[in-house]
Amino acid sequence: MEKTLDTKFTYTEKSDTRSGFGDGLLEAGRKNPNVVGLCADLIGSLKMGAFQKEFPERFFQVGIAEANMMGLAAGMSINGKIPFTGTFANFSTGRVYDQIRQSIAYSEKNVKICASHAGLTLGEDGATHQILEDLGMMKMLPNMTVINPCDYNQTKAATMAIAEHHGPVYLRFGRPKWPIFTPSDQKFEIGKAWKMIEGTDVTIFATGHLVWEAVVAEAKLREEGISAEVINIHTIKPLDTEAILQSVAKTGCCVTAEEHQYNGGLGDSVAQTLVRNNPAPQEFVGVDDSFGESGTPTDLLEKYGLNADNIVKAAKKAIGRK
Amino acid sequence: MEKLSTEQLKKTASQVRRDILRMVHEVQSGHPGASLGCTEFFVALYFNQLNHNNDFKIEGKGEDLFFLSNGHISPVWYSVLARSGYFDTAELKTFRKINSRLQGHPATEEGLPGIRIASGSLGQGLSVAIGAAQAKKIDGDEGVVYALMGDGEQQEGQIWEAAMYAPHHKVDNLIATIDFNGQQIDGPTNVVMNLNDLKAKWEAFGWEVIDTLKGNDMESVLAGLEYARTLLGKGKPVLNLLHTEMGYGVDFMVGTHKWHGIAPSDEQLENALGQLEETLGDY
């Protein structure tokens, strides 16, 4: 159904964002000998195998011991190494929050916490692994940069960009095959929102996998004569508040779309920006204070109200509140 | 830095104990018990064993590095850093006060020279030290990495994650010490949560374990640290079980958990200082 729509961005193939991370890490490792990798028994899932093979002396298998991994990474960063830790998003955040807080964020260590299998689209493994709170936990930490790219190409570009950025970073990506709709030669600027589609009636601020859903929603809205602006917020923190305020000043209302709880996510950050500067109607597409469950990514996004159709409904509601 | 003789180390230890007590008394807050118990270790390490430069650079390339995991014993570390010339001893009087670089638990955010990472939330420092040791190996840097942990801290799970990791990866440029004083906040460790045979546990994890039985005797502490260094480079990390007495050096504080985290009164301070010679001049 999506393919028959006249979307402003299109794709010919799909890949998982975690492969974007794996390929980006390999490139970063080739460019900078200080890049080191650590993984907690998920080398295949995180796509870190190519880096491990090419740089065995700069790769550390930690076993199923995520707390230790965060401490090791902090320690390695002291003499100038740039450690990239790899495990699932759940075990990259909640399980090791205090280690990140004290040894990495408070201590301003140049550690890149790379987190796969985030959100509902993890799928069949169910709620124990589907973290929907990680953006909130990470953005609350002072000194932490929080990035949630949307497809393979953007994740690869983001991975290479964070290697060149000094300071702690949380990089969130996922498991499912997803449309590759952004350019392979894109420049990734941390903290800089990307206006993908211009519009005048409503702004859709989307992050991660839901950027594609926003692109689809824009086409659907256009068919109904509604002009939506789509802005890709790949960096949750620091947030590009200028881009948000400029867009909403023009459109007068917005929708935020993310694979995360309402609480603590992108929606919260956008709402705070608007309330402080230019209050405007905002609708939230996200998970409403619940855990996930087993299912296919598509079924889960539909059941929990996170797909393009839900963005369309939310956009109309926001426009109606102007 | 120049290595001090055993006699000089003993004199320094007396002054460091005075510093600890005066810092904690001044702000009526802090942890004197284990600070006093670890004084010989810190003094022997910083004034004799450590190859370090008090013109502090956080990267510490080519230097030996020290990481404190049980960050609450910050008073002894701050005193030793100041007495080593990392910062002016006058700054010790700002301990735990507003706008100070001498935070209650060590931190990097305020830029205090000598501190490379925050600690205080227990169980994390050994992992950090192992990471720093491995990073040195990548660089071919022959500096040694030291870590100090508490014994109560051995109850944290992360310690055992790190304990398993270091021998597996042959991190043999690392000397970790446990302040084995048998006390923690709620009482003796064997009452709160028995550590049982700590030596056998660390050996079973693959560490080279040594006992320093007289952890408050300068000659013994020095001998233990010197011996530990001879065990490096042989494929195993080294663990030094340092048997100390909490509160050592002050008769009414010694051997009890009661002085873990409370400050002496004016009278108690006077009494305690009367037992410790002022050897280098109070700050």
Side-chain angles (χ1 to χ4, degrees):
Chain A
M1 193 180 77
E2 288 172 6
K3 298 288 261 184
T4 64
L5 277 172
D6 176 27
T7 53
K8 297 275 189 185
F9 287 79
T10 56
Y11 68 94
T12 52
E13 59 174 324
K14 292 185 176 185
S15 183
D16 40 15
T17 50
R18 56 186 164 144
S19 287
F21 162 69
D23 293 346
L25 179 63
L26 182 62
E27 287 296 311
R30 286 173 177 162
K31 278 178 77 172
N32 189 336
N34 281 324
V35 169
V36 299
L38 301 93
C39 188
D41 195 30
L42 287 169
I43 294 169
S45 296
L46 269 286
K47 307 291 182 187
M48 296 175 91
F51 181 92
Q52 179 192 28
K53 194 172 169 201
E54 190 159 325
F55 305 109
E57 75 291 352
R58 283 154 54 191
F59 185 82
F60 302 92
Q61 170 63 271
V62 179
I64 310 167
E66 296 82 6
N68 186 40
M69 179 165 70
M70 294 304 162
L72 292 167
M76 286 180 190
S77 75
I78 286 170
N79 82 347
K81 297 287 167 282
I82 307 170
F84 282 65
T85 67
T87 182
F88 291 161
N90 190 14
F91 315 137
S92 294
T93 55
R95 188 177 184 90
V96 290
Y97 197 69
D98 188 47
Q99 284 77 14
I100 295 174
R101 182 177 181 274
Q102 174 172 286
S103 291
I104 297 175
Y106 183 41
S107 296
E108 300 168 278
K109 292 291 172 266
N110 193 21
V111 173
K112 316 305 172 185
I113 302 160
C114 301
S116 186
H117 293 52
L120 290 172
T121 54
L122 160 75
E124 293 79 357
D125 277 348
T128 54
H129 289 51
Q130 288 162 337
I131 196 156
L132 296 162
E133 308 89 62
D134 54 327
L135 295 177
M137 282 190 275
M138 291 296 113
K139 83 178 188 187
M140 277 199 293
L141 288 171
N143 298 330
M144 186 65 74
T145 293
V146 180
I147 297 174
N148 186 195
C150 68
D151 70 353
Y152 170 92
N153 284 338
Q154 195 173 56
T155 307
K156 184 176 177 186
T159 304
M160 291 159 70
I162 63 174
E164 291 174 11
H165 165 88
H166 191 86
V169 174
Y170 178 65
L171 180 69
R172 178 204 219 219
F173 41 91
R175 176 173 186 263
K177 301 281 185 199
W178 211 248
I180 304 176
F181 59 101
T182 70
S184 60
D185 62 348
Q186 67 190 280
K187 182 170 160 46
F188 190 91
E189 271 189 80
I190 295 169
K192 186 84 182 146
W194 174 20
K195 189 191 292 179
M196 299 182 73
I197 303 172
E198 294 251 14
T200 52
D201 297 331
V202 59
T203 309
I204 304 167
F205 297 111
T207 191
H209 291 133
L210 292 208
V211 175
W212 173 251
E213 299 296 326
V215 167
V216 173
E218 185 276 335
K220 292 185 173 191
L221 287 163
R222 185 154 29 87
E223 284 185 346
E224 297 185 46
I226 296 169
S227 166
E229 181 147 300
V230 175
I231 298 189
N232 178 333
I233 309 279
H234 50 66
T235 308
I236 309 292
K237 184 185 172 187
L239 190 65
D240 189 347
T241 54
E242 198 179 326
I244 289 166
L245 291 169
Q246 270 181 11
S247 180
V248 175
K250 175 177 67 176
T251 61
C253 67
C254 70
V255 173
T256 50
E258 60 194 311
E259 204 181 340
H260 192 272
Q261 303 282 353
Y262 293 166
N263 285 328
L266 169 65
D268 263 10
S269 293
V270 170
Q272 212 179 111
T273 304
L274 295 177
V275 165
R276 284 179 163 176
N277 296 281
N278 181 22
Q282 176 183 350
E283 291 295 323
F284 293 70
V285 170
V287 174
D288 186 8
D289 198 27
S290 88
F291 291 105
E293 65 181 85
S294 294
T296 66
T298 307
D299 287 346
L300 287 163
L301 291 184
E302 185 176 341
K303 175 165 178 176
Y304 287 83
L306 269 64
N307 62 15
D309 288 338
N310 294 99
I311 296 174
V312 168
K313 271 187 230 161
K316 289 177 183 171
K317 196 172 171 191
I319 292 167
R321 290 172 55 202
K322 276 204 259 188
Chain B
M1 289 177 64
E2 188 196 347
K3 290 186 180 220
L4 297 191
S5 68
T6 309
E7 278 315 301
Q8 289 170 312
L9 292 173
K10 287 180 181 174
K11 286 190 169 159
T12 304
S14 182
Q15 187 64 52
V16 166
R17 287 197 161 92
R18 290 181 68 91
D19 289 350
I20 293 165
L21 293 162
R22 293 179 68 241
M23 288 162 73
V24 173
H25 171 263
E26 160 111 14
V27 69
Q28 284 295 298
S29 171
H31 297 80
S35 292
L36 293 168
C38 287
T39 298
E40 278 76 17
F41 171 80
F42 273 87
V43 171
L45 188 68
Y46 270 82
F47 293 94
N48 185 285
Q49 288 292 294
L50 217 52
N51 165 30
H52 65 126
N53 188 348
N54 62 14
D55 178 16
F56 180 68
K57 292 191 177 54
I58 199 160
E59 303 83 10
K61 288 188 191 270
E63 294 182 59
D64 295 343
L65 306 183
F66 170 72
F67 294 96
L68 177 67
S69 190
N70 47 329
H72 59 276
I73 67 167
S74 56
V76 62
W77 198 13
Y78 293 154
S79 166
V80 165
L81 286 172
R83 297 284 170 186
S84 301
Y86 280 82
F87 54 86
D88 197 306
T89 53
E91 200 169 340
L92 294 175
K93 67 173 179 290
T94 70
F95 174 61
R96 284 187 172 239
K97 293 179 181 170
I98 193 83
N99 298 326
S100 172
R101 300 195 293 180
L102 280 63
Q103 290 291 296
H105 293 81
T108 56
E109 196 166 68
E110 292 75 17
L112 186 69
I115 312 291
R116 292 190 163 87
I117 196 157
S119 63
S121 175
L122 295 172
Q124 300 186 28
L126 182 60
S127 301
V128 172
I130 295 168
Q134 288 194 294
K136 279 194 177 293
K137 278 180 174 267
I138 294 172
D139 287 355
D141 178 336
E142 292 185 357
V144 173
V145 176
Y146 290 84
L148 179 66
M149 302 174 267
D151 54 357
E153 191 179 7
Q154 303 301 302
Q155 292 153 6
E156 291 280 7
Q158 188 181 347
I159 294 280
W160 301 100
E161 293 184 3
M164 196 179 293
Y165 179 93
H168 178 86
H169 286 275
K170 298 186 169 50
V171 184
D172 59 3
N173 54 344
L174 172 72
I175 300 170
T177 294
I178 295 175
D179 174 20
F180 202 6
N181 61 26
Q183 305 287 338
Q184 60 189 109
I185 296 180
D186 279 350
T189 49
N190 61 9
V191 173
V192 176
M193 184 52 60
N194 202 335
L195 303 172
N196 284 306
D197 192 342
L198 213 44
K199 187 175 187 186
K201 284 177 179 163
W202 283 89
E203 282 174 344
F205 275 76
W207 291 62
E208 191 69 58
V209 183
I210 65 168
D211 267 304
T212 301
L213 294 173
K214 294 181 185 171
N216 295 113
D217 175 83
M218 192 61 83
E219 282 88 351
S220 297
V221 172
L222 206 49
L225 286 171
E226 279 172 358
Y227 178 53
R229 264 188 110 103
T230 68
L231 299 172
L232 295 173
K234 296 175 180 171
K236 285 184 172 188
V238 177
L239 185 90
N240 176 22
L241 269 177
L242 183 75
H243 298 252
T244 67
E245 285 197 83
M246 217 169 174
Y248 188 88
V250 179
D251 57 10
F252 61 90
M253 291 184 170
V254 74
T256 169
H257 61 91
K258 295 195 176 91
W259 289 91
H260 166 84
I262 60 166
S265 66
D266 293 352
E267 282 174 10
Q268 287 166 328
L269 177 72
E270 196 183 337
N271 181 350
L273 292 181
Q275 302 172 38
L276 297 161
E277 189 188 350
E278 183 183 347
T279 51
L280 301 174
D282 287 337
Y283 62 82

